[in-house]
Amino acid sequence: MPTVAYNFPIERSDLPISTTELVSRYFFGIGLTDQSGNPIDQKSIEFHIESAVEQLEGYLNLKLSKQIIEESLHYYVDDFTEWSYLPVSYPVLAAHEMMGLAAGQTQLTYPTDWISIKSTNDPTGAHRSFYLVPGSGGVSVSGSGSAVYAGILPLAGWMAGKSIPNYWRVKYCTSFQKLPADLADAAGKLASIGIFHQMGDIILGAGIASESVSIDGLSQSISTTSSATNAGYGARITGYLADLKLSLPRLKLKYDGMVIRSM
């Protein structure tokens, strides 16, 4: 079976936003160190990014990093009355495999040049569907430019039913050619909130909200917004939460939409 390899120009291939990008965009001018000058651990920043990405992926039903998806899907006869249409779970950048299985046995495998996906020059416009458009050649066991059948003919004796559970096995690449700025911004703000909470508690030291120094009648006082009920970077956190409250519903409509199927 052929292998498809992808190279990712980021620090970790499973993170769509690097720690360097996060710090430069959302923490400019803010020192991410404690009172002793020790910097925040790199793994801690990566954890907050990973947590934010998982939350956003779950909410929008998509993947922010390029990856190969393998899934099983139901067969619905109404989808195949004209051109074969198969909705999948995530946006499709490239289709790699589509086969039908009955009782665990492969019945047919379609050549990749039969699998059609909707293309667009919009880097965010991938669609969540496969279409089957037969190419040259007839049905044979060679697998060259045709569907390959094994065992009984596919769906023989089952056409009285409207569906077959978990019949299709598909493999495809998902995500985006380039991560859209609105998704990157949402993931960055989600990740930043946790870090701001962590750093806000130690602006002047753990549990210290104000500090005063007095020498020979001269005094200096420093106070922060940190308190028992407020974070040190509370204004920044509140601002990011307000932005996300507006942007997340719009992202849901733009990237997820809805799937309606009548049974």
Side-chain angles (χ1 to χ4, degrees):
M1 182 178 295
T3 301
V4 179
Y6 295 94
N7 294 320
F8 303 94
I10 51 181
E11 295 177 4
R12 277 180 52 182
S13 61
D14 58 338
L15 293 180
I17 304 173
S18 70
T19 58
T20 301
E21 290 171 330
L22 184 75
V23 172
S24 64
R25 291 174 186 171
Y26 301 99
F27 295 90
F28 179 75
I30 298 175
L32 297 181
T33 60
D34 62 15
Q35 287 298 97
S36 302
N38 300 311
I40 186 173
D41 184 57
Q42 188 88 351
K43 295 295 183 181
S44 179
I45 299 178
E46 290 179 354
F47 172 80
H48 286 289
I49 296 175
E50 184 176 358
S51 175
V53 167
E54 288 188 5
Q55 291 181 60
L56 200 58
E57 288 180 341
Y59 179 69
L60 299 177
N61 296 315
L62 49 73
K63 301 295 182 183
L64 301 190
S65 297
K66 283 184 180 178
Q67 54 195 273
I68 299 298
I69 299 295
E70 297 184 50
E71 60 181 324
S72 60
L73 301 165
H74 300 332
Y75 170 87
Y76 294 98
V77 66
D78 291 341
D79 292 339
F80 288 80
T81 54
E82 294 185 10
W83 293 109
S84 302
Y85 162 74
L86 183 65
V88 296
S89 299
Y90 302 105
V92 181
L93 285 182
H96 296 307
E97 186 176 84
M98 180 177 175
M99 62 176 63
L101 287 82
Q105 300 298 317
T106 301
Q107 285 193 310
L108 68 153
T109 300
Y110 289 107
T112 54
D113 59 357
W114 282 30
I115 305 173
S116 174
I117 59 175
K118 190 172 181 179
S119 60
T120 173
N121 60 1
D122 178 4
T124 70
H127 293 262
R128 303 172 190 243
S129 57
F130 280 20
Y131 296 88
L132 282 178
V133 182
S136 60
V139 175
S140 71
V141 296
S142 65
S144 176
S146 60
V148 178
Y149 293 89
I152 62 173
L153 291 177
L155 314 180
W158 293 357
M159 295 308 294
K162 291 291 187 180
S163 64
I164 303 174
N166 301 316
Y167 181 76
W168 297 116
R169 298 291 189 276
V170 296
K171 181 187 294 186
Y172 57 95
C173 177
T174 189
S175 192
F176 305 93
Q177 297 292 356
K178 179 183 178 182
L179 184 64
D182 50 3
L183 290 179
D185 185 54
K189 287 177 178 177
L190 277 172
S192 299
I193 288 172
I195 300 174
F196 275 122
H197 273 298
Q198 184 177 351
M199 300 307 299
D201 291 338
I202 58 171
I203 294 178
L204 296 178
I208 300 175
S210 62
E211 186 176 64
S212 299
V213 178
S214 179
I215 301 176
D216 295 334
L218 298 176
S219 63
Q220 182 182 33
S221 298
I222 301 175
S223 299
T224 70
T225 58
S226 179
S227 69
T229 57
N230 192 52
Y233 293 105
R236 185 72 64 93
I237 293 170
T238 300
Y240 283 175
L241 288 174
D243 290 344
L244 291 169
K245 185 177 180 180
L246 290 174
S247 65
L248 287 179
R250 297 171 183 171
L251 295 176
K252 183 75 171 177
L253 290 174
K254 179 179 179 180
Y255 292 104
D256 190 13
M258 65 178 66
V259 176
I260 300 177
R261 180 183 295 278
S262 60
M263 300 297 291

